[in-house]
Structures are given as C-alpha cells and as structure tokens.
Amino acid sequence: MAYSQASPYFTTPTVDNHLDVIDYRSIPKQPDDVLYTIQSMHALRPDILAYDLYGDPALWWVFAARNPNSIEDPIFDFQAGRTIYLPKLATLKSVLGI
C-alpha cells in the first residue's frame, strides 16, 4: 500500500505486506523555525495543532520528527507547557513534497 507524502509512514518499509518499524523522515532545523510553548487546547492533540498551523491534521507527526529530543511519544509527550520548535509550512512543502 502506498502512503501519501504527508503520512508518517511514507518512507517506512513493508515486510510481507506489513509495515515495518516506523521510519520518521527528518525535518531539518531552519533558522526561521518558531519556538512555541504547547497550550492546554493542544495538549495531547498534535493533530489539532497541525490543523491550526498547516490546515492538515495528518501532519501531526512532524512535531515529534522536528523535536526528537523533547518529544519521544508524539501523543503523550505533547503536554501543555512543553516548548518545541515548529517548522514553517514552506519547509514542510519543500522537505515532504506536499
């Protein structure tokens, strides 16, 4: 099965028609990344923040990919008060080809 370029599974290999261990694509650091403190309305909901920022809740995984040192679990580490870097939409379009 082919996944869209916005999917976190896009580069994850398959083994016998099953997904292997997820292979997150790298979201490179950029000088124009925004430092953001997660608000309570987005706690445990990276999909809502992805929709608010990028208009696409399927991009929920980019926060963990861009902040691997502070977000290990992309849902439960997405806590209010945690500070993360947000990539710009232009960066995602360039890197992910969306």
Side-chain angles (χ1 to χ4, degrees):
M1 176 177 194
Y3 289 90
S4 78
Q5 291 178 322
S7 172
Y9 307 109
F10 182 72
T11 59
T12 301
T14 57
V15 177
D16 297 326
N17 292 325
H18 294 83
L19 278 174
D20 202 354
V21 176
I22 192 166
D23 178 24
Y24 280 119
R25 288 179 280 173
S26 175
I27 306 296
K29 297 176 184 178
Q30 298 293 322
D32 63 349
D33 285 347
V34 175
L35 191 60
Y36 173 75
T37 301
I38 299 171
Q39 304 299 306
S40 59
M41 70 181 130
H42 295 126
L44 304 176
R45 296 302 305 266
D47 58 326
I48 294 175
L49 182 58
Y51 180 78
D52 290 347
L53 292 175
Y54 311 126
D56 187 349
L59 294 172
W60 61 269
W61 60 274
V62 301
F63 307 119
R66 172 58 186 85
N67 298 278
N69 294 329
S70 59
I71 300 178
E72 186 173 326
D73 183 303
I75 305 299
F76 293 110
D77 288 346
F78 213 77
Q79 296 288 335
R82 184 175 298 242
T83 301
I84 61 172
Y85 286 98
L86 302 176
K88 300 263 178 132
L89 181 57
T91 301
L92 296 181
K93 286 182 176 183
S94 172
V95 172
L96 303 178
I98 56 173

